[in-house]
Amino acid sequence: SHITAAKGTDTTIFLEILSGPYLVQPADEAFDGGERPINVEARNLMWLSAADAEWVGDAGPQVAYLWGKVAAGETHGSFLKLPPGYAGTLSTKAPLLRVVTTQGSTEVALSGQKASQRLEPGSYFASKGEAAHSVSCVGDGDCILYVHAEGKYGVAAR
């Protein structure tokens, strides 16, 4: 038995495996290799605003650093929180950008495209190289995006 992601009625679980070997074994060959998961809950994070994180371009969005070295432009993971009604541009020159909606409902128009798509929790988009994606938080609550970037990214109102 092996579960890598689950979506329930009240919660979504997202698992990112950064590198192998993956060591997935049948249940009868289970072992404890000493590795432990990191469980992250949005309400337990330190959220930084534009005053604290220079690449958050305006009031409204907030960021919480999870792993890696964002300032050095290295591969990293962070949460990006957009307030209800926020409309902006998520821009990057990163070789790879992966974004997962973990809370709320976002509207995304990928770089170079006019049509947008609604992304509910568990939905994902990615890009390679220079890109400027239009992102909006629709609905009554905050939208939280998990961002995995192999370089820097920024967000600013449009």
Side-chain angles (χ1 to χ4, degrees), residues 8-155:
T9 55
D10 295 328
T11 200
T12 298
I13 298 169
F14 172 74
L15 172 67
E16 180 176 39
I17 300 173
L18 298 174
S19 63
Y22 303 112
L23 305 176
V24 177
Q25 303 293 331
D28 62 346
E29 294 180 36
F31 65 94
D32 183 350
E35 294 181 350
R36 299 292 180 259
I38 299 172
N39 295 311
V40 179
E41 173 60 40
R43 66 177 177 235
N44 295 329
L45 297 172
M46 178 181 289
W47 290 97
L48 304 174
S49 65
D52 304 310
E54 64 186 46
W55 52 274
V56 176
D58 52 46
Q62 294 178 308
V63 65
Y65 302 118
L66 299 175
W67 57 270
K69 296 181 180 179
V70 178
E74 296 178 6
T75 300
H76 63 277
S78 59
F79 276 139
L80 179 62
K81 184 183 341 183
L82 306 176
Y86 180 82
T89 301
L90 177 63
S91 58
T92 184
K93 293 182 181 178
L96 180 62
L97 178 77
R98 296 180 181 129
V99 181
V100 178
T101 298
T102 62
Q103 178 182 308
S105 182
T106 55
E107 286 279 335
V108 176
L110 297 177
S111 188
Q113 297 182 5
K114 292 184 181 189
S116 65
Q117 290 186 305
R118 182 161 297 192
L119 302 181
E120 301 297 335
S123 301
Y124 161 90
F125 73 90
S127 64
K128 293 181 179 182
E130 189 167 349
H133 307 294
S134 295
V135 293
S136 302
C137 181
V138 295
D140 298 331
D142 291 330
C143 293
I144 299 180
L145 307 175
Y146 170 73
V147 181
H148 172 130
E150 293 181 0
K152 294 181 180 183
Y153 71 91
V155 63

